[in-house]
Amino acid sequence: MQRNLTIAARVLAVAAIAFIASFALDSFGPGRPLPQAVVAFIVHLVPAYVLAGILILAWIWPMAGGVLFLVVSIVPFLLLDGNPLWVNALLGVPFALVGALFLLADWFGRRPDA
């Protein structure tokens, strides 16, 4: 059970991070010089870098990563209050699920009967 939860959390985390990273593609557009677009692309990927770092941490310490993913899941609701609720939910809920899966995997891994 713990292994399945861990794999599900990792796969969902990678998919959610890829979704967030896809927003960086709007850096490229007509009329924007390529060097400026590349710099903007790298800067727009900063959230994905941070999330990938949390995933690496969660890979090693599932409880710490699970807690951090739960914290990350509320960030859209706190910082992006101009967005409709469904947009913030689309950005935050996958990371809440990832955090819950990592915490459950850690809990099942600590149980003596597991």
Side-chain angles (χ1 to χ4, degrees):
M1 178 72 146
Q2 178 212 5
R3 180 169 167 76
N4 292 340
L5 289 170
T6 302
I7 290 171
R10 291 173 181 173
V11 168
L12 182 60
V14 168
I17 292 168
F19 175 69
I20 296 296
S22 71
F23 292 117
L25 292 173
D26 72 347
S27 300
F28 300 100
R32 180 175 270 188
L34 185 61
Q36 183 184 11
V38 169
V39 170
F41 179 72
I42 292 169
V43 169
H44 280 84
L45 284 176
V46 168
Y49 300 146
V50 171
L51 291 167
I54 295 172
L55 177 59
I56 291 169
L57 181 84
W59 211 289
I60 300 167
W61 297 292
M63 181 182 286
V67 169
L68 285 175
F69 274 121
L70 287 176
V71 170
V72 163
S73 72
I74 63 169
V75 168
F77 297 98
L78 297 176
L79 297 181
L80 304 174
D81 57 350
N83 285 346
L85 181 62
W86 69 270
V87 172
N88 289 341
L90 187 67
L91 295 172
V93 169
F95 294 107
L97 184 57
V98 168
L101 287 171
F102 272 119
L103 289 176
L104 280 172
D106 184 68
W107 183 72
F108 276 110
R110 291 179 190 267
R111 287 181 41 201
D113 60 341

